Amino acid sequence: MVSYRKRGHVWQYEISYKDQFGKYKKLRKSGFEHKSEAILAASQIQIEYPNLSSAKSSEEPLVSYYKRWINVFKKNVVSKITFNKYQNTAQHIYEIFGDLKLKDLTKLRYQEGINQFAKTHAKRTVSCFHKQIRACLLEALDEKIIMADPTRKAVITGIERPKINKVLSYKNWSILIKNLNTNKIDEMIIFIAAVTGMRYGEVVGLTTKDFDFKSGYISVNKTWDYKYKTGFMKTKTKSSIRKIAIDEQTVFKLKEYLKLHEFKNNQPIFMNKKDHILVSAEINKSLTNKLESLNIPRITFHGLRHTHASILLYKGVSVLSVSRRLGHSNITTTQSTYLHIIRELQSQDQDKIISILDNAIK
């Protein structure tokens, strides 16, 4: 039911409807100079929103709808870390769009927001930001809260990060591990990663119980949430649970490190006296400074894992053994990650095969 009345010098329409719970609601809008304009606007609303509760919902701010959406569809489905990422997106939405209502989010306004976000973020991050918002708005589209998808054909850009080497050469890797002060927390973290290929979360999740110095191995059975500080977590995959063999020098350095630092029961050995564990940005900064001091090209901390695997492959260690050492779920993951190295080694193997055959035939 629609009614019209004049309020001062302008006209207002009022539409009565039942919400999803059967309760009567009213949708009002005023400010029309002529009654005919109010009638036209009311008709348009009824055409666009056959379910008038959706029209009311379109008044909700984007950030509010997004928060409700992640709490309903994501909170009990994804991991805590992934849900934190969705919450971070909510914060960015508010910073960019403020309290902008769903009905006022046009394609132009959305693209302006994406462009603003892209000024300070890499293209991959912008793409993730866009995908999360789009998934939410497609839900609003299905519910007919909005009549069109403002994210459709959005152009994704981002700042270009300077290119960084992925791996160190064997020579530079050797120089690095020989010049690390393994009594210091940050440099011991770098050392462990360089000689084991462990992931950062696995390294900083180590406790004194994870070392078997007599047999010479490190046990990887958990990780540490250094980003969101939720404590110990499960490993990335079941195959990430493994034992990594270490050499005598690594055993010696670890023993010396443990003697110099005091730990509480089941406390990570790389947690400082203020109960802080370095986040990825901090350890990457430490690694960069160390590499610069040694005049070695920069790599990321994760590059130490790639370096370790690459060196083992070049030195003739089988792909299967490298795969198990890295904790990959299957050998295919290792083969695809290090395909370029494997192809080089296969080329060398072909030369060896020909040489063997030549010698045999002579």
Side-chain angles (χ1 to χ4, degrees):
M1 178 180 174
V2 188
S3 61
Y4 306 93
R5 65 172 175 164
K6 196 168 187 179
R7 296 174 58 88
H9 298 291
V10 296
W11 283 86
Q12 171 189 281
Y13 69 71
E14 180 180 283
I15 306 175
S16 299
Y17 65 96
K18 285 184 180 180
D19 66 11
Q20 56 184 327
F21 303 108
K23 293 183 179 180
Y24 277 99
K25 301 280 185 177
K26 294 185 184 221
L27 179 66
R28 301 185 185 93
K29 188 171 182 180
S30 60
F32 301 99
E33 187 175 351
H34 304 288
K35 184 178 180 180
S36 59
E37 293 175 352
I39 294 172
L40 182 62
S43 299
Q44 189 67 31
I45 282 289
Q46 289 176 305
I47 292 170
E48 291 183 354
Y49 299 97
N51 176 7
L52 282 173
S53 62
S54 297
K56 195 71 175 177
S57 297
S58 70
E59 296 285 331
E60 184 176 9
L62 167 63
V63 66
S64 173
Y65 182 80
Y66 176 84
K67 286 179 179 179
R68 289 199 299 116
W69 177 75
I70 63 174
N71 278 312
V72 172
F73 290 97
K74 300 299 177 182
K75 191 171 185 178
N76 298 317
V77 178
V78 299
S79 67
K80 286 183 179 180
I81 290 179
T82 302
F83 187 69
N84 281 333
K85 291 178 180 178
Y86 278 102
Q87 288 180 310
N88 286 341
T89 295
Q91 180 60 36
H92 289 309
I93 289 173
Y94 182 72
E95 291 169 358
I96 294 171
F97 297 104
D99 290 320
L100 183 72
K101 296 177 181 178
L102 286 168
K103 69 182 184 66
D104 296 327
L105 182 61
T106 63
K107 287 186 69 174
L108 180 62
R109 181 66 186 88
Y110 181 75
Q111 187 65 60
E112 287 174 343
I114 287 293
N115 291 348
Q116 180 182 335
F117 187 71
K119 288 179 181 179
T120 54
H121 294 83
K123 187 174 182 179
R124 182 178 177 182
T125 305
V126 178
S127 177
C128 182
F129 178 65
H130 162 68
K131 285 178 181 178
Q132 290 183 353
I133 299 176
R134 187 162 198 262
C136 167
L137 289 176
L138 287 177
E139 203 69 49
L141 188 64
D142 284 347
E143 291 188 88
K144 294 183 170 54
I145 294 173
I146 55 176
M147 294 297 103
D149 175 15
T151 69
R152 184 173 174 269
K153 292 186 178 181
V155 179
I156 306 303
T157 58
I159 58 175
E160 292 292 330
R161 303 290 187 190
K163 289 186 177 181
I164 302 173
N165 294 320
K166 290 186 177 180
V167 298
L168 296 176
S169 65
Y170 177 81
K171 179 182 177 182
N172 286 334
W173 172 79
S174 181
I175 291 171
L176 173 64
I177 60 178
K178 287 176 182 177
N179 286 277
L180 287 167
N181 180 356
T182 51
N183 289 331
K184 295 174 61 179
I185 290 178
D186 58 343
E187 297 198 22
M188 176 53 101
I189 291 174
I190 294 168
F191 178 82
I192 292 297
V195 299
T196 66
M198 290 169 63
R199 302 177 179 94
Y200 187 60
E202 295 171 344
V203 176
V204 294
L206 291 172
T207 65
T208 53
K209 295 179 181 179
D210 298 322
F211 302 107
D212 186 334
F213 294 132
K214 187 175 181 180
S215 300
Y217 68 77
I218 296 175
S219 178
V220 179
N221 48 57
K222 60 191 173 308
T223 64
W224 182 264
D225 178 15
Y226 57 88
K227 188 171 184 180
Y228 298 108
K229 302 177 177 64
T230 60
F232 289 112
M233 302 188 306
K234 292 180 180 179
T235 54
K236 186 176 182 180
T237 61
K238 287 184 179 179
S239 56
S240 296
I241 299 174
R242 62 200 188 279
K243 291 181 179 179
I244 301 176
I246 53 176
D247 61 283
E248 291 183 3
Q249 281 297 313
T250 299
V251 169
F252 174 77
K253 289 178 181 293
L254 277 167
K255 284 182 176 180
E256 289 298 305
Y257 174 86
L258 294 176
K259 285 179 184 177
L260 292 171
H261 300 269
E262 295 181 3
F263 311 102
K264 300 172 186 175
N265 290 334
N266 205 36
Q267 178 185 340
I269 66 168
F270 296 118
M271 180 177 282
N272 65 21
K273 293 179 180 179
K274 296 181 179 179
D275 293 339
H276 173 68
I277 288 181
L278 298 176
V279 297
S280 57
E282 292 172 315
I283 195 64
N284 271 300
K285 185 177 180 180
S286 292
L287 175 60
T288 297
N289 291 339
K290 192 67 181 181
L291 292 172
E292 286 180 356
S293 70
L294 297 170
N295 198 28
I296 295 175
R298 183 190 171 205
I299 63 166
T300 63
F301 185 87
H302 194 70
L304 295 172
R305 178 172 166 86
H306 290 315
T307 297
H308 184 76
S310 301
I311 287 171
L312 294 183
L313 289 170
Y314 275 124
K315 291 295 182 179
V317 178
S318 71
V319 178
L320 178 60
S321 294
V322 173
S323 180
R324 288 176 176 172
R325 189 171 177 87
L326 294 179
H328 283 163
S329 55
N330 55 65
I331 195 171
T332 305
T333 303
T334 314
Q335 289 172 325
S336 60
T337 304
Y338 302 102
L339 182 61
H340 62 293
I341 297 173
I342 293 170
R343 282 176 175 169
E344 287 181 37
L345 294 173
Q346 285 178 337
S347 178
Q348 293 175 19
D349 286 343
Q350 293 295 335
D351 294 336
K352 289 179 183 178
I353 292 169
I354 296 301
S355 177
I356 291 169
L357 293 173
D358 280 343
N359 292 329
I361 295 171
K362 287 179 181 177

